[in-house]
Amino acid sequence: MNKIANKQIICDTLIKRGKENRDILVLTSDSRGSASMAKFGEQLPEQLIEVGIAEQNIVGIAAGLASSGKLPFIASYAAFLSMRSIEQIKVDLAYSNTNVKVVGISGGLSYGPLGMSHHALQDIAVMMAIPNMTVILPADRYETEKMTDELLKYCGPVYIRVGRNSVPNIHQSANFDYEIGKALTLTEGDDLTIIATGETVKSAVDSSKLLKEKGIKARVLNMHTLKPLDEKAVIKAAQETACILTVEEHSIYGGLGAVIAQTVIQNCPVPMKMIAIPDEPAIAGQQLELFEYYGISADNIAREAVNLLNDVKQS
């Protein structure tokens, strides 16, 4: 049972690489504890910059550091970075294609009990609409470690969304190929395809096991990179399976489901169903309770998959 949050893995990986490369910097906005970056500050104090509660300023400072040849990582709350700092991200980072990595912590429903002010359910839609911005949601600790190493070689602005708590492992080890912009096929199947991202991937994989018990072979794609999207994997799924079901911890608008539908309808139209947060202020509650409430559970994903396949057969 994994007990290490993805944000901690980012910290641990940056400590390891930061000792080798002093240009690696971490910037926090009164968030080093919440971002699990306290250990980075303890071991590499000259490479951590604390700006206080100033989310707009942190982006501008990081942009200046990147322009000077540094490799800055911003670690702050996804809900605030994606709303309060969005003009600075658009102008200071994207417009100039500045090499800054923006780590949005406690994304999605992670801060469930605090309600809508702390939910980050529109961040993906906002970030994907900005030119030059890469958008990544890692699924587990092993993927997060590989992603962080890749980000140190990847030039340009990137928005990374991670949750608050530890998540179950999807991979059994770090022994797999990982490439930004290339989806991972976690299970093979030719009946339908389930595409998930971030912390919903585990529910998607578990649902495929439930479907297998019913004789349904579900292909599961881990779409860790939403932009640039692996269109080849999506089109291949549309060509080889009867329908596509998407699962995400984000608004029904502008996220994974929307970009998959956009790709499918222009290349190989097939029936689709999107499981996401409806267009309403999301309720307060613990994250797993909210996953259950909004249908991001293995049981509900499997149920929706069966319903979708039945609709396809009847049409």
Side-chain angles (χ1 to χ4, degrees):
M1 179 67 179
N2 177 47
K3 295 184 179 180
I4 306 176
N6 290 343
K7 59 182 181 177
Q8 183 64 59
I9 297 297
I10 293 176
C11 174
D12 293 346
T13 307
L14 290 179
I15 288 174
K16 189 186 307 180
R17 304 306 175 210
K19 290 178 178 178
E20 303 165 353
N21 183 353
R22 295 292 175 170
D23 285 335
I24 295 172
L25 305 176
V26 170
L27 293 84
T28 56
S29 55
D30 195 31
S31 54
R32 74 174 70 183
S34 299
S36 297
M37 287 295 176
K39 189 163 69 170
F40 186 96
E42 292 167 2
Q43 296 195 29
L44 298 169
E46 295 182 356
Q47 290 169 250
L48 185 137
I49 300 171
E50 173 59 65
V51 306
I53 303 175
E55 285 86 356
Q56 293 98 329
N57 288 347
I58 201 172
V59 176
I61 293 169
L65 290 166
S67 298
S68 302
K70 301 299 183 181
L71 297 172
F73 281 70
I74 297 171
S76 190
Y77 307 99
F80 303 148
L81 284 173
S82 63
M83 296 294 158
R84 192 172 295 165
S85 309
I86 201 61
E87 182 178 2
Q88 287 73 26
I89 289 173
K90 182 181 76 170
V91 177
D92 296 350
L93 303 190
Y95 184 49
S96 302
N97 203 25
T98 308
N99 191 28
V100 174
K101 308 306 184 270
V102 181
V103 182
I105 62 169
S106 299
L109 297 164
S110 296
Y111 269 133
L114 295 180
M116 186 175 176
S117 64
H118 284 62
H119 292 329
L121 298 172
Q122 297 78 33
D123 55 333
I124 305 306
V126 172
M127 294 295 178
M128 289 215 298
I130 298 176
N132 290 328
M133 183 63 67
T134 294
V135 179
I136 305 175
L137 282 74
D140 73 355
R141 58 173 297 183
Y142 296 114
E143 198 172 299
T144 301
E145 180 181 358
K146 282 184 166 287
M147 173 202 70
T148 306
D149 275 332
E150 285 297 309
L151 289 174
L152 291 169
K153 300 177 286 184
Y154 190 87
C155 190
V158 181
Y159 176 70
I160 306 102
R161 188 227 264 185
V162 294
R164 184 184 186 192
N165 305 307
S166 60
V167 292
N169 289 331
I170 304 300
H171 308 280
Q172 298 308 307
S173 70
N175 186 27
F176 63 95
D177 293 329
Y178 178 90
E179 181 182 341
I180 292 172
K182 188 172 179 61
L184 293 169
T185 302
L186 300 181
T187 66
E188 297 287 355
D190 53 14
D191 289 326
L192 84 157
T193 300
I194 301 173
I195 305 177
T197 187
E199 296 189 12
T200 66
V201 173
K202 180 64 166 66
S203 296
V205 172
D206 289 347
S207 73
S208 71
K209 297 174 183 175
L210 297 176
L211 291 168
K212 187 175 181 180
E213 295 174 0
K214 300 177 183 292
I216 299 172
K217 299 175 183 177
R219 179 180 308 183
V220 177
L221 294 183
N222 171 4
M223 196 64 67
H224 51 78
T225 307
L226 272 68
K227 184 185 176 188
L229 185 73
D230 188 349
E231 294 188 354
K232 289 183 178 179
V234 175
I235 295 169
K236 186 171 186 287
Q239 292 171 337
E240 296 178 353
T241 65
C243 49
I244 294 175
L245 178 64
T246 61
V247 187
E248 61 191 306
E249 186 184 3
H250 186 269
S251 166
I252 197 75
Y253 293 113
L256 172 70
V259 73
I260 297 298
Q262 185 175 300
T263 302
V264 168
I265 197 65
Q266 296 182 87
N267 294 279
C268 184
V270 294
M272 274 190 61
K273 170 75 176 179
M274 297 160 58
I275 297 177
I277 308 303
D279 187 28
E280 64 184 34
I283 64 171
Q286 297 299 329
Q287 186 179 23
L288 292 181
E289 294 174 340
L290 298 180
F291 269 33
E292 188 71 32
Y293 182 85
Y294 286 112
I296 312 174
S297 63
D299 287 342
N300 186 67
I301 295 170
R303 187 162 46 248
E304 292 292 347
V306 171
N307 291 339
L308 181 55
L309 280 171
N310 288 337
D311 289 344
V312 170
K313 291 175 183 177
Q314 294 171 8
S315 62

